[in-house]
Amino acid sequence: MTVILGQTFTGISIGAVLLLIALGLSLTFGQMNVINMAHGEFIMAGAYTTYVLQKSISSAGISLLVALPVAFLVSGALGALLEWLLIRRLYLRPLDTLLVTWGVSLMLQQLARDIFGAPNVQTRAPDWLTGNITVIGGDDPLTFANSRLFILGLAVAAVVALSLTLRLTPLGRRIRAVVQNRDLAEVSGISTSTVDRTAFFIGSGLAGVAGVALTLVGPIGPTMGTNVIIDAFLVIVVGGIGQLKGTVIVAFVLGVLQSVLEYSTTVSVAKVLVLVAIVAFLQWRPQGLYTLRTRSLV
Amino acid sequence: MNVLTGRSARAWAGFAGAAVVLFAIAPLALSDFRLGLLAKYLCTAMVAVGICLAWGRGGLLTLGQGVFFGLGGYAMAMHLKIADAGPGNLPDFMQLYGTATELPWWWKPFENPAFALAATVLLPMAVAALLGLFIFRRRVKGAYFAILSQALAAALAIWLIGQQATTGGTNGLTDIQGFFGYSLDDPVNQRMVYFVIAAALLLLMAIARQLINSRYGELLVAVRDSEERVRFLGYDPANVKLVAYVVAAGMAGLAGALFVPAVGIISPALIGIVPSIEFVIGAAVGGRASLVGAVLGAVAVAWAKTALSEEFPAAWTYFQGLLFIVALAFLPGGLASLAVLVRRRRKAPPAQKTAAVPLGEAA
């Protein structure tokens, strides 16, 4: 019994990491219709920010907490810069943004290699995140790692913050207006280019936060972005592009599925099976779990 | 093709010119080492022919050509490994790990050279047909298709790495000695492999050109530009796309199969996400919708990679990224469209037509 609970918790924590990574993508891919392959490198930027901050702030606990907002700003600034330099020229060609941002991602990876070196680096986890919480004691104990719980909390906080921003603030209203009808929004006096850049700033910033979280569960390296980006894209596609609710549900479902399959087979077989499950799911709902209902033919 | 019009006469002249360059000038002008490299680049160009068809003409951005390249490559390499080991023996890496005492069941059919050769092309085509059927029937398209094809490349590479005992894992199938009885150490036989590859490339280009110039080719472009209109006219766009995807897969499979004797190795690192996207880079830089552009682009980018990474290992990545950004953001038709612009031809590069699709509809 505890094995099942333990695997489920592992799955939920994988899901929380997936959710954090996919959240920013949900904004830039879902809302802005830009397939940003450099999103993984913004995650990497967040992770390296954590690393650099820990070099200068000796207390691991404080440096982690400082890293969260700083990584948000660093990655967000990178995202806004990318939007201004390249992406705004490509809003009508979504598939080309995929390839152009792949070029950007190549360059950012090499930049990281030149600055920090090719080998992976590691950060120290703060003391208050190293232990476990024992949920069920006794001979067959069930324990949750503190760092995993922290990531889960972070993911939930990020989802709440993003959805409140989109729902309640004037900025959120403007973003939704641009997504629903770009031309009408422009005519109504909304500066769509400013909204685009702000949305990109927030989406990329969330990647930075995800990068901070990833330092708690794995090493930091130039290729860390490539390793996670595909999973994040799959979450968005299955959840329904631009659907926050779908992203949240699918991240956790895929996390648990991956964890359960890994337990009963191997890591590599589990990956393949998850992909098969996704293709099968898209037979049933080709547009993902949730879709914006329209009368559009395409 | 009954009447040699000006257009097809020019095409045949170009074809003859390419044949002269590939079969006469290159072997004379290049050292054995350089010719071996060219053979490798031509394999990339064969994949680019398929990408030109599927992406440039059909609008199917496939980021998983590495999968089909890999299936072809592994099918060929498995046969060559068995042949190298000799009858009754296990391939060397299986003996090394000692995990397999006899040939795994799914290796057995590849003992037969005819089966292995057919599998290099038919296996990728079958996988593409199966996947394409699922994807295109349910009208999964655009970004969804690109991401799924990319995930497929990741999954195959991860799976191969996981099966250390039977696929060689991360190392892949290495150190291939012979090619249907000919030793690959012998420079003469290496030249023979080069000629086979050059001939195969010309053949694939001829097939692609016939397809593009046929009624089907026009239908393919029509599906790319407005799928709904084609559907209203009574055609099934899913079938049109399926054919392009399957043909492209077969071409990538053949490229992978011929890559193995040219380089002597096939491994997950050659077929995962990164190489899959690199296949697309060449075609994009040269011009996705132009057959000659895609082929020349693929060769040029592969050549630039060797030349630059020999001199400046780190600089290559920056250059590669920059090449991609400049070509796609500022020259969507690739270098081929530049030639068109310079010559002031009346025909606009077809790639730009996709840009006219409004965002809301593309989603």
Side-chain angles (χ1 to χ4, degrees):
Chain A
M1 186 60 196
T2 50
V3 171
I4 298 171
L5 286 176
Q7 282 301 315
T8 311
F9 176 70
T10 310
I12 288 173
S13 75
I14 294 176
V17 174
L18 271 181
L19 180 57
L20 263 180
I21 296 167
L23 206 56
L25 265 187
S26 169
L27 195 66
T28 53
F29 181 24
Q31 313 281 341
M32 314 314 298
N33 223 320
V34 168
I35 308 168
N36 180 16
M37 289 297 285
H39 194 80
E41 278 57 48
F42 294 161
I43 294 171
M44 174 191 80
Y48 274 118
T49 304
T50 320
Y51 172 73
V52 169
L53 281 173
Q54 198 168 74
K55 290 256 163 192
S56 44
I57 303 173
S58 53
S59 162
I62 295 173
S63 78
L64 183 73
L65 292 180
V66 174
L68 285 172
V70 175
F72 183 87
L73 291 177
V74 169
S75 296
L78 277 175
L81 187 70
L82 177 69
E83 202 276 346
W84 178 67
L85 279 175
L86 286 173
I87 290 173
R88 66 192 168 111
R89 298 165 209 278
L90 296 169
Y91 274 115
L92 292 178
R93 288 151 45 196
L95 283 182
D96 283 359
T97 61
L98 191 160
L99 296 165
V100 168
T101 50
W102 170 262
V104 174
S105 113
L106 282 177
M107 295 171 85
L108 287 177
Q109 280 181 29
Q110 188 59 39
L111 196 64
R113 226 171 268 136
D114 287 347
I115 297 174
F116 299 100
N120 289 339
V121 294
Q122 203 101 38
T123 55
R124 278 173 294 114
D127 295 335
W128 43 276
L129 282 184
T130 45
N132 292 305
I133 289 177
T134 309
V135 182
I136 303 174
D139 299 334
D140 194 11
L142 176 68
T143 57
F144 292 169
N146 282 345
S147 57
R148 296 269 175 187
L149 286 172
F150 176 74
I151 293 175
L152 186 59
L154 200 59
V156 171
V159 170
V160 170
L162 182 60
S163 65
L164 287 183
T165 308
L166 284 178
R167 258 165 217 268
L168 301 180
T169 65
L171 171 68
R173 268 198 297 281
R174 283 199 293 271
I175 291 178
R176 283 184 292 141
V178 172
V179 168
Q180 279 177 18
N181 194 328
R182 181 169 286 268
D183 294 338
L184 202 54
E186 181 81 53
V187 173
S188 313
I190 297 173
S191 164
T192 52
S193 58
T194 310
V195 169
D196 286 341
R197 202 152 310 140
T198 318
F200 231 83
F201 177 82
I202 298 173
S204 308
L206 286 170
V209 174
V212 178
L214 280 182
T215 63
L216 295 170
V217 289
I220 306 160
T223 56
M224 65 184 290
T226 320
N227 297 336
V228 294
I229 191 77
I230 302 298
D231 289 341
F233 270 122
L234 287 178
V235 168
I236 309 274
V237 165
V238 176
I241 291 181
Q243 303 293 311
L244 211 53
K245 198 166 33 165
T247 306
V248 174
I249 294 172
V250 170
F252 285 117
V253 168
L254 283 188
V256 172
L257 192 65
Q258 173 84 21
S259 158
V260 169
L261 286 172
E262 265 178 35
Y263 181 69
S264 38
T265 58
T266 63
V267 177
S268 60
V269 174
K271 282 259 179 207
V272 177
L273 288 178
V274 167
L275 184 68
V276 170
I278 288 171
V279 173
F281 176 82
L282 289 179
Q283 296 300 304
W284 176 49
R285 277 180 174 267
Q287 303 293 315
L289 192 58
Y290 291 100
T291 43
L292 208 59
R293 300 233 173 260
T294 67
R295 285 166 182 264
S296 159
L297 276 169
V298 186
Chain B
M1 296 308 293
N2 296 329
V3 187
L4 278 183
T5 57
R7 192 180 147 81
S8 74
R10 246 202 328 274
W12 283 111
F15 213 70
V20 169
V21 170
L22 283 176
F23 285 100
I25 297 176
L28 286 176
L30 297 174
S31 66
D32 283 340
F33 173 69
R34 292 282 158 193
L35 198 67
L37 286 180
L38 182 60
K40 198 169 117 182
Y41 306 156
L42 294 184
C43 290
T44 319
M46 284 160 73
V47 183
V49 172
I51 290 175
C52 170
L53 203 63
W55 179 38
R57 294 278 156 175
L60 304 166
L61 175 52
T62 155
L63 296 177
Q65 288 309 90
V67 170
F68 309 120
F69 186 83
L71 287 173
Y74 268 88
M76 177 64 96
M78 279 160 74
H79 172 70
L80 297 182
K81 285 307 275 185
I82 298 172
D84 278 351
N89 278 335
L90 281 180
D92 48 7
F93 72 93
M94 288 190 193
Q95 294 175 6
L96 186 69
Y97 301 123
T99 39
T101 47
E102 61 174 297
L103 220 50
W105 61 267
W106 53 276
W107 272 68
K108 289 233 168 82
F110 290 94
E111 278 184 294
N112 182 339
F115 176 87
L117 272 182
T120 58
V121 180
L122 296 182
L123 194 63
M125 289 174 94
V127 171
L130 190 70
L131 194 78
L133 216 57
F134 280 119
I135 290 182
F136 301 137
R137 283 257 173 265
R138 292 300 295 169
R139 304 187 193 174
V140 174
K141 60 184 120 178
Y144 286 76
F145 173 73
I147 288 162
L148 273 182
S149 67
Q150 191 167 43
L152 187 70
L156 181 72
I158 291 169
W159 183 79
L160 283 169
I161 291 170
Q163 312 299 309
Q164 177 81 14
T166 51
T167 64
T170 321
N171 296 334
L173 302 175
T174 58
D175 197 24
I176 285 153
Q177 307 283 342
F179 184 57
F180 297 98
Y182 297 95
S183 164
L184 287 173
D185 284 340
D186 191 339
V188 175
N189 292 339
Q190 275 293 349
R191 285 192 164 232
M192 176 192 75
V193 170
Y194 163 81
F195 284 121
V196 171
I197 289 173
L201 175 63
L202 287 179
L203 176 73
L204 293 192
M205 286 182 74
I207 293 174
R209 192 178 138 40
Q210 286 303 90
L211 269 179
I212 287 172
N213 287 344
S214 69
R215 232 180 122 75
Y216 167 78
E218 290 177 6
L219 207 51
L220 188 62
V221 173
V223 168
R224 178 192 73 191
D225 290 343
S226 178
E227 192 170 328
E228 287 308 323
R229 282 182 209 167
V230 174
R231 183 171 287 122
F232 293 152
L233 287 173
Y235 294 99
D236 186 354
N239 290 341
V240 178
K241 292 201 250 183
L242 190 64
V243 171
Y245 188 49
V246 168
V247 170
M251 289 179 171
L254 184 63
L258 292 174
F259 181 85
V260 169
V263 181
I265 179 175
I266 186 85
S267 78
L270 292 164
I271 67 178
I273 295 176
V274 176
S276 292
I277 293 190
E278 282 180 355
F279 286 134
V280 175
I281 300 184
V285 169
R288 62 186 88 163
S290 147
L291 200 53
V292 177
V295 165
L296 289 182
V299 174
V301 169
W303 170 79
K305 180 175 184 172
T306 316
L308 277 167
S309 55
E310 271 172 6
E311 289 288 318
F312 324 95
W316 161 245
T317 319
Y318 290 122
F319 183 71
Q320 189 184 26
L322 207 60
L323 200 63
F324 219 10
I325 293 166
V326 170
L328 281 152
F330 302 102
L331 200 64
L335 293 174
S337 71
L338 199 64
V340 172
L341 287 176
V342 167
R343 276 188 290 169
R344 293 270 169 222
R345 294 264 295 258
R346 271 173 300 153
K347 234 171 89 182
Q352 287 183 343
K353 283 185 190 162
T354 44
V357 179
L359 252 186
E361 287 178 34

